[in-house]
């Protein structure tokens, strides 16, 4: 007879669920809200604990497991446009982790799961935690190579003179554009996505004329930011000083926002690029 410690069972599954949901979000290119991922992980851990309470063994049936997994994905990524993709990847990552844990069981003498497939071991907790972390990093590295872009998506809020706008931004590891004046990072946004909050003189397709019109009105809000890209040796972007920039709710101050005359995404569903900020 196996004695199950509910607190240990809850903790182990909380950690496993959090890493799985986080990895699924990264793989699918979804916007990550850590507290929501924690909520989804907590619901999954609670479900795992309830299975072993008297009279609740029926929760171990596969329809209940499927429903619990969907509920976890909804809690972590509900409202996200990539919800279906995240959910599919989450179930796939869960299956991959289960296979890895089974392999560890076959190689060693310690049992890392209970009969219902719930992660638990009274013998070596460190071994199970190590398998969780190792699988997370292996999955993240693999899908980062085959994914469409090299970073995660974040929620970007821009406050300009014309109002506020919320965009989805890619944390692009190759984006290194900085303000020549203070070396602070520059946000690059699709000019069309900001059309509702831009002044009338701003035209992303004609940065020089836009700056001239701005200066003629007595304003120094606009400036030119030089950049280089593949196929572009000496490009120029129209840039405006934002009143406030926030990334995932974190204020970053009055950064420059450069307006791209063409879409910045590669079909990944984002409208702006940010570097390591």
């Amino acid at each position: 007879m196996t004695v199950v410690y509910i607190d240990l069972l809850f903790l182990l599954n909380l950690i496993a669920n959090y890493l799985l949901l986080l990895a699924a979000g990264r793989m699918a290119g979804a916007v990550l809200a850590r507290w929501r991922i924690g909520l989804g992980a907590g619901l999954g851990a609670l479900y795992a604990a309830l299975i072993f309470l008297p009279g609740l063994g029926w929760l171990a049936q596969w329809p209940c497991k499927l429903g619990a997994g969907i509920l976890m994905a909804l809690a972590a990524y509900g409202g996200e446009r990539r919800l279906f993709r995240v959910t599919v990847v989450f179930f796939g990552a869960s299956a991959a982790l289960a296979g890895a844990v089974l392999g560890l069981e076959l190689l060693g003498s310690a049992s890392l799961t209970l009969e219902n497939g719930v992660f638990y071991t009274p013998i070596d907790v460190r071994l199970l935690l190590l398998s969780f972390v190792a699988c997370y990093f292996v999955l993240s590295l693999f899908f980062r190579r085959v994914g469409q872009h090299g970073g995660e998506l974040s929620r970007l809020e821009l406050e300009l003179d014309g109002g506020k706008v919320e965009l989805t931004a890619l944390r692009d590891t190759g984006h290194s554009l900085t303000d020549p004046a203070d070396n602070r990072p520059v946000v690059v946004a699709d000019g069309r996505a900001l059309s509702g909050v831009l002044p009338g003189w701003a035209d992303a397709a004609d940065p020089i004329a836009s700056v001239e019109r701005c200066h003629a009105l007595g304003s120094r809000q606009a400036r030119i930011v030089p950049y280089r890209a593949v196929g572009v040796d000496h490009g120029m972007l129209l840039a405006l000083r934002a009143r406030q920039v926030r990334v995932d709710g974190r204020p970053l101050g009055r950064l420059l926002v450069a307006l791209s005359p063409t879409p910045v995404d590669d079909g990944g569903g984002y409208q702006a690029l940010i570097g390591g900020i």
Side-chain angles (χ1 to χ4, degrees), residues 131-225:
S131 68
F132 293 162
V133 175
C135 287
Y136 167 75
F137 281 109
V138 170
L139 289 170
S140 296
L141 289 174
F142 174 75
F143 280 93
R144 184 173 297 173
R145 286 183 176 272
V146 302
Q148 291 183 336
H149 33 69
E152 66 183 52
L153 299 181
S154 297
R155 186 175 296 105
L156 174 68
E157 299 174 65
L158 301 177
E159 183 179 345
L160 303 173
D161 287 346
K164 298 180 182 179
V165 64
E166 182 174 308
L167 307 175
T168 299
L170 172 68
R171 288 183 178 270
D172 186 359
T173 54
H175 175 56
S176 58
L177 189 62
T178 57
D179 184 348
D182 56 16
N183 204 37
R184 297 196 68 193
V186 174
V187 176
V188 178
D190 186 340
R192 299 173 304 173
L194 300 180
S195 59
V197 296
L198 293 178
W201 47 260
D203 182 2
D206 194 348
I208 294 179
S210 296
V211 172
E212 291 176 347
R213 288 193 292 267
C214 175
H215 290 179
L217 295 173
S219 173
R220 291 295 182 267
Q221 180 185 2
R223 60 179 301 175
I224 297 295
V225 174

Side-chain angles (χ1 to χ4, degrees), residues 9 33-34 57 132 171 178 190 226 231 233 240 269 273:
L9 183 147
R34 305 300 176 122
F132 293 162
R171 288 183 178 270
T178 57
D190 186 340
D233 290 331
L240 288 74
L273 298 173

Side-chain angles (χ1 to χ4, degrees), residues 13-84:
N13 283 272
L14 177 67
I15 296 172
N17 293 337
Y18 185 88
L19 293 178
L20 286 170
L21 287 169
L22 180 61
R26 289 183 183 276
M27 295 172 199
V31 176
L32 304 178
R34 305 300 176 122
W35 71 270
R36 292 190 59 183
I37 294 175
L39 175 62
L43 290 175
L46 179 61
Y47 165 75
L50 289 176
I51 292 176
F52 295 93
L53 294 181
L56 296 179
W58 56 271
L59 289 174
Q61 301 298 318
W62 73 263
C64 296
K65 290 184 178 181
L66 178 63
I70 294 175
L71 180 62
M72 291 167 61
L74 285 172
Y77 297 103
E80 165 67 40
R81 73 170 69 188
R82 297 168 178 265
L83 176 60
F84 178 76

